[in-house]
Amino acid sequence: MKHSYAVITGASSGIGAAFARCLAREGYPLVLVARRRERLEQLAQELKQAGVESVVFVADLSQKEECYRLMEELSSKTLGVFINDAGFGDCGCFLETDVEKELEMIDVNVKAMHLLSKLVLRKMEKQNGGYLLNVVSSAGLIPAGPYMATYYATKSYMLSLTRAVAQELKERKSSVYIGALCPGPVDTEFNSVANVEFALHGITPEYCAEYAVRQMRKRRVLIVPTMTMKAATTFGRLIPQSLYIRLTGHQQKKKLGTK
């Protein structure tokens, strides 16, 4: 996979930008994808000063055509790593939250991630190798999330899809990897976009990205960065789902400042 590219969606901030810096240190030329051109160009300039080539690709991945346009841009490049990170959340009572924001969330968190996963995997199969990492969330490991209902549902979808496709690739003895990164709270702009304040202490984006890359190299399908979240999700499998959902809802209410 010499001279192959690392592609990061959602690269303008947070975990995406941390992945860009992490993979740049491994020597990959990068393709940086997000909606905010100024942020991408600032990151590209930073990486250039460190001697790393990067391509800025501005796209709104909530639009299906933009996903295809990205893949056209990548058609002549060998893909070593694809970090499928673009996504956002929202918090509040389902009866009161903004339906347009929720539908856009489904477009980005589910439709774009699904479509890019399929197109990237097909390309990697043809080139006989590559790593695809879907940035999901620990929310995908929980049966439901009251007060973040749509967000939890989108993450459950992508976790289920990723694990199923990983098994398919294993059975066909493919050299292509797919995995799901499922962090708990990470200190990023997610909080302000989703209108929440996490009840638990968040990890840094840098730690999250570096841990994920190490586990990706080991071909771990499910990557959960902290012992706290591993313990919480393991505990959740041992209690009735109805109780687990009530406890999850209680935590979400804390984020809203209500009880």
Side-chain angles (χ1 to χ4, degrees):
M1 303 300 290
K2 278 189 176 181
H3 309 300
S4 60
Y5 280 76
V7 183
I8 303 100
T9 70
S12 59
S13 65
I15 297 174
F19 268 114
R21 296 183 180 103
C22 180
L23 292 167
R25 288 194 293 272
E26 292 196 358
Y28 284 97
L30 303 175
V31 179
L32 308 173
V33 185
R35 287 187 285 194
R36 295 178 288 185
R37 179 182 295 277
E38 183 178 351
R39 289 283 194 92
L40 291 179
E41 289 178 346
Q42 287 174 353
L43 179 57
Q45 184 60 32
E46 173 193 326
L47 297 172
K48 183 178 180 180
Q49 291 174 355
V52 177
E53 172 198 346
S54 56
V55 176
V56 166
F57 190 89
V58 179
D60 178 359
L61 298 179
S62 68
Q63 306 299 313
K64 180 173 67 175
E65 296 77 12
E66 294 285 84
C67 296
Y68 283 110
R69 188 170 68 87
L70 171 60
M71 294 308 299
E72 180 62 28
E73 171 71 17
L74 301 176
S75 61
S76 62
K77 295 176 172 61
T78 301
L79 301 187
V81 179
F82 192 102
I83 307 295
N84 214 358
D85 175 56
F88 66 93
D90 195 21
C91 192
C93 175
F94 185 75
L95 293 177
E96 299 165 0
T97 46
D98 184 341
V99 68
E100 292 303 321
K101 185 175 182 180
E102 289 174 331
L103 292 176
E104 184 181 2
M105 191 192 311
I106 292 168
D107 286 339
V108 177
N109 294 12
V110 175
K111 292 183 179 180
M113 195 169 275
H114 178 119
L115 178 57
L116 288 172
S117 293
K118 184 177 286 286
L119 297 177
V120 167
L121 288 174
R122 285 176 174 173
K123 180 174 175 59
M124 288 181 172
E125 275 287 284
K126 288 181 181 178
Q127 65 185 36
N128 198 32
Y131 293 85
L132 168 62
L133 184 63
N134 286 328
V135 180
V136 184
S137 167
S138 58
L141 296 164
I142 298 171
Y147 304 99
M148 289 189 78
T150 304
Y151 176 74
Y152 272 65
T154 65
K155 295 306 181 179
S156 293
Y157 178 94
M158 279 312 303
L159 180 58
S160 176
L161 182 76
T162 301
R163 297 174 94 170
V165 174
Q167 181 62 30
E168 291 179 13
L169 292 173
K170 181 179 179 180
E171 290 181 8
R172 67 189 291 159
K173 295 180 171 58
S174 173
S175 58
V176 176
Y177 161 90
I178 186 173
L181 171 60
C182 296
V186 182
D187 294 329
T188 70
E189 294 177 358
F190 176 93
N191 302 22
S192 58
V193 174
N195 301 313
V196 301
E197 291 186 10
F198 286 122
L200 299 174
H201 179 68
I203 60 174
T204 67
E206 292 73 22
Y207 174 82
C208 184
E210 289 167 8
Y211 180 88
V213 169
R214 290 198 302 271
Q215 298 304 306
M216 181 183 76
R217 297 299 187 201
K218 297 176 183 177
R219 305 185 79 83
R220 299 278 169 79
V221 174
L222 179 61
I223 302 172
V224 183
T226 65
M227 289 304 299
T228 301
M229 291 313 305
K230 288 176 183 176
T233 53
T234 299
F235 171 74
R237 292 196 293 270
L238 303 177
I239 63 176
Q241 286 202 345
S242 59
L243 175 59
Y244 196 14
I245 292 169
R246 287 203 304 276
L247 291 173
T248 303
H250 179 70
Q251 288 299 111
Q252 305 312 326
K253 277 189 173 183
K254 286 183 180 179
K255 297 174 184 178
L256 291 169
T258 59
K259 296 181 179 180

